[in-house]
């Protein structure tokens, strides 16, 4: 079921629900740098790499990446261009 947009749609719906119903305004994703599929999904949804000066505050390991998203920037995750 790769590349059908199912994962991005599910994650986008979760982000929208957290933002709308629970007033979550900032999302943080921590992933292994080698996980290119998750990185693609996060980029598709509008996440951006964490600025280097903030990286340490998330206690990430050397082989991990940190991505951030503000709730107002949430993109829908339809099947078109799926990660």
């Amino acid at each position: 079921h790769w590349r059908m947009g199912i994962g991005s749609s599910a994650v986008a719906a979760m982000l929208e629900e957290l933002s709308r119903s629970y007033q979550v305004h900032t999302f943080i994703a921590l992933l292994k740098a080698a996980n290119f599929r998750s990185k693609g999904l996060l980029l598709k949804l509008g996440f951006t790499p964490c600025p280097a000066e903030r990286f340490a505050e998330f206690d990430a390991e050397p082989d991990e990446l940190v991505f951030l998203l503000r709730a107002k920037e949430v993109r829908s995750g339809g099947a078109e261009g799926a990660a």
Side-chain angles (χ1 to χ4, degrees):
H1 299 112
W2 296 105
R3 315 255 332 135
M4 294 177 58
I6 297 168
S8 58
S9 293
V11 174
M14 179 194 65
L15 296 173
E16 290 171 16
E17 177 68 15
L18 288 169
S19 177
R20 183 176 44 252
S21 299
Y22 299 95
Q23 293 73 49
V24 176
H25 302 291
T26 302
F27 299 97
I28 302 162
L30 183 71
L31 66 144
K32 295 294 183 185
N35 191 338
F36 66 93
R37 290 190 189 277
S38 291
K39 182 179 176 184
L41 172 68
L42 294 172
L43 291 171
K44 177 182 178 180
L45 293 172
F47 280 78
T48 57
C50 176
E53 62 272 8
R54 292 193 60 202
F55 194 80
E57 79 184 74
F58 301 107
D59 198 29
E61 299 292 325
D63 65 336
E64 294 176 325
L65 301 173
V66 180
F67 283 81
L68 305 172
L69 177 70
R70 299 269 180 234
K72 65 180 178 167
E73 300 168 353
V74 172
R75 296 182 195 157
S76 67
E80 63 283 345

